[in-house]
Amino acid sequence: MKKMDYQNVKGTQDYLPNVEVVRRDIRRTLEDVFIQYGCKPLETPILNYTELMASKYGGGAEILEEMYTLSDRGKRDLALRYDLTIPFAKVVAMNPTLKMPFKRYEIGKVFRDGPIKTGRFREFTQCDVDIVGVGSQIAESELMVMALDAFRKLELKVTIQYNNRKLLTGMLNVFGTEYEKINKVILILDKLEKVGIESVVTELDEQGLSSSTITLIKQFLIDAGKTSFDYFESFAEQNEEVRHGLNELKELESYLEFLGVREQCVFNPFLARGLEIYTGTIYEIFLDDQSIKSSIGSGGRYDNAIGGLIGTDQEFSTVGISFGLDVIYTAICSTVKELKENPNVDYYIVPLGTQKESLLVAGYLRNKGYKVEFEMSNKKLGKALDKANKEKIRSVIIIGQDEVRNNQFKVKDMFSGEEWTESFPFN
């Protein structure tokens, strides 16, 4: 019989306990913060109709190329979700009785058949919060402050860059960019930090933009004053979209300033976010130490998606934020200091021919809320203590026949070497 060559599907991986413990801690921390901010839990199906996921309110052409598609026995066209946003928009569209504003969080796996590189897989976990039913920038400020809170609890120093799609679209209008080319130009501008001005200008030239438009865009890219809102005032007089975008940015900044987080939130007039779904504020979260260059969280306002799915022109004010669990794990691993004490085991119980009695002690301690590991493989004491040292378990409980006879158990502090006995009624 031929031996099977077991291996994971390309772009997927197993998370062994030492890794999964950290991932679960990150997930728990994020979930606790989401709940603290009044978010309600939601779970949506991984499997969806292709028509829903391929909606123009989805991820755009680039993501659709990466969508996993399949069919069931009834020959229905299905797709695996590539993010949590469209399934959420579907829930709101299908449930008109939901009380607004509706604030939900969801943590779940998504799938993209895209290129694989460090920190990027084809199966990964997203942690999303979305607010629907709030037109004011108070929703954006709530999500940005929540993100800063979450990363503070994860002990990662971050900066949030933010912009407004109306401002960017309006500026490109002012510069004479043809309407049908605006989204493509935005995608090119989004690469500015990665590829530099000259490469961006070359790509703009390839789009067939007029030389005067390219000159104006290049001037915009190199102008020193563009990070100030004042720079856009004269353009706001010429263009309604610039005016709306600028007003929204000013409103957002007033919240950020009042809440004392303005230093961690930086206006970036070229931040574009590739997705066509966005209609207003957009933001991306970056590590201060640049140990990972790409963003570790992002989001923005997308007011047209839910109405579009229902098939009406009705606007549903919607703003969201998404954190990538895998990239946060990578960031934490690159900054984590050596573990001094195992946080996942309070007591490690070693029975010396006293399995039943030791199980009694384990149950007693677990009922008190302690995390207890029980040695089930009849390890000799020396080997069990070696394991405790390797896994940085501080407290080892040793239970032999003498301890049972005397109604007590022995506790050893592996860090100090100190030992003591505690009473326990075995009989």
Side-chain angles (χ1 to χ4, degrees):
M1 185 175 165
K2 185 173 177 279
K3 183 175 178 285
M4 273 191 76
D5 180 19
Y6 294 110
Q7 54 184 322
N8 287 346
V9 173
K10 201 173 177 190
T12 69
Q13 65 182 96
D14 300 308
Y15 297 102
L16 296 180
N18 60 323
V19 172
E20 189 59 15
V21 160
V22 181
R23 286 166 52 86
R24 294 285 169 114
D25 280 346
I26 295 167
R27 188 183 173 123
R28 208 173 291 123
T29 301
L30 290 174
E31 190 163 16
D32 286 347
V33 172
F34 299 162
I35 292 167
Q36 207 175 11
Y37 276 72
C39 305
K40 304 282 193 299
L42 185 72
E43 186 164 343
T44 57
I46 286 169
L47 201 56
N48 294 272
Y49 285 112
T50 305
E51 188 183 2
L52 171 74
M53 299 311 295
S55 149
K56 70 172 182 173
Y57 300 100
E62 201 175 322
I63 286 182
L64 294 188
E65 284 174 16
E66 298 179 355
M67 183 166 67
Y68 280 101
T69 56
L70 62 154
S71 60
D72 63 9
R73 292 186 202 185
K75 296 193 166 57
R76 285 171 281 260
D77 293 328
L78 306 175
L80 302 183
R81 65 186 182 196
Y82 51 74
D83 71 9
L84 300 175
T85 304
I86 291 302
F88 162 69
K90 175 212 70 180
V91 168
V92 179
M94 285 172 61
N95 294 275
T97 57
L98 280 173
K99 294 263 191 316
M100 298 294 172
F102 179 55
K103 192 193 287 189
R104 84 84 170 88
Y105 76 89
E106 182 169 9
I107 298 174
K109 288 204 168 182
V110 298
F111 306 84
R112 292 185 193 176
D113 187 8
I116 299 161
K117 55 186 181 187
T118 308
R120 178 165 177 168
F121 305 104
R122 288 178 174 164
E123 176 188 72
F124 53 98
T125 302
Q126 281 189 336
C127 315
D128 282 20
V129 172
D130 291 84
I131 303 172
V132 58
V134 180
S136 146
Q137 296 291 303
I138 200 165
E140 280 88 336
S141 60
E142 167 94 332
L143 292 183
M144 289 165 80
V145 169
M146 183 194 74
L148 293 173
D149 248 4
F151 285 108
R152 181 174 51 79
K153 285 179 177 155
L154 291 167
E155 297 182 6
L156 291 172
K157 290 186 176 170
V158 298
T159 297
I160 301 179
Q161 292 186 15
Y162 66 95
N163 193 13
N164 191 294
R165 282 298 277 268
K166 290 173 189 163
L167 183 86
L168 197 54
T169 304
M171 290 296 288
L172 291 173
N173 271 324
V174 171
F175 299 149
T177 314
E178 295 103 311
Y179 175 77
E180 65 277 5
K181 291 181 180 173
I182 281 181
N183 275 329
K184 186 66 185 168
V185 171
I186 284 174
L187 283 173
I188 294 167
L189 292 184
D190 200 36
K191 301 177 191 171
L192 179 64
E193 285 189 20
K194 286 182 195 159
V195 301
I197 286 179
E198 293 313 317
S199 294
V200 164
V201 170
T202 303
E203 282 198 53
L204 292 174
D205 196 36
E206 287 165 4
Q207 292 304 309
L209 299 180
S210 70
S211 57
S212 62
T213 296
I214 292 175
T215 303
L216 288 167
I217 293 174
K218 186 174 181 182
Q219 183 59 42
F220 177 44
L221 295 178
I222 60 177
D223 202 310
K226 62 190 175 290
T227 53
S228 157
F229 291 159
D230 294 344
Y231 174 88
F232 297 93
E233 293 290 356
S234 60
F235 297 104
E237 290 167 14
Q238 305 170 49
N239 183 280
E240 193 178 3
E241 264 196 302
V242 174
R243 187 162 66 253
H244 284 315
L246 190 56
N247 287 340
E248 287 178 6
L249 284 165
K250 285 178 178 175
E251 185 193 346
L252 176 58
E253 190 191 46
S254 73
Y255 283 117
L256 300 176
E257 191 156 12
F258 190 79
L259 295 167
V261 296
R262 196 174 159 210
E263 279 189 19
Q264 289 168 275
C265 301
V266 178
F267 168 57
N268 175 355
F270 307 122
L271 183 71
R273 303 234 55 224
L275 305 185
E276 293 174 26
I277 190 173
Y278 293 112
T279 57
T281 308
I282 46 177
Y283 36 73
E284 294 199 343
I285 306 164
F286 295 93
L287 286 173
D288 285 359
D289 67 7
Q290 292 283 293
S291 58
I292 294 173
K293 299 279 188 239
S294 57
S295 66
I296 59 170
S298 57
R301 181 169 284 274
Y302 54 105
D303 287 349
N304 297 333
I306 296 168
L309 288 177
I310 299 172
T312 71
D313 292 332
Q314 185 183 354
E315 267 198 10
F316 286 77
S317 298
T318 317
V319 60
I321 196 161
S322 179
F323 307 96
L325 181 69
D326 305 274
V327 74
I328 292 172
Y329 169 77
T330 305
I332 282 176
C333 287
S334 68
T335 59
V336 78
K337 298 173 183 69
E338 192 188 351
L339 193 65
K340 291 198 174 91
E341 184 174 339
N342 191 327
N344 301 299
V345 183
D346 296 318
Y347 291 103
Y348 170 40
I349 296 181
V350 182
L352 302 175
T354 57
Q355 268 73 6
K356 288 177 182 170
E357 293 85 354
S358 297
L359 278 172
L360 207 60
V361 176
Y364 165 77
L365 291 169
R366 285 168 182 152
N367 285 336
K368 282 184 164 291
Y370 292 111
K371 301 186 281 280
V372 179
E373 185 171 338
F374 180 80
E375 181 52 63
M376 291 187 278
S377 66
N378 290 323
K379 272 191 175 71
K380 289 202 163 63
L381 182 58
K383 290 220 164 149
L385 295 179
D386 282 348
K387 171 182 164 159
N389 278 327
K390 273 184 195 150
E391 296 186 14
K392 296 186 166 51
I393 299 168
R394 180 165 202 142
S395 299
V396 176
I397 291 175
I398 302 157
I399 305 174
Q401 300 293 350
D402 288 349
E403 280 77 23
V404 172
R405 267 195 302 274
N406 296 322
N407 283 321
Q408 63 189 27
F409 56 77
K410 189 190 291 180
V411 186
K412 183 176 175 70
D413 185 322
M414 298 301 292
F415 291 11
S416 67
E418 189 185 349
E419 290 186 10
W420 65 93
T421 55
E422 290 192 16
S423 299
F424 186 82
F426 286 108
N427 305 318

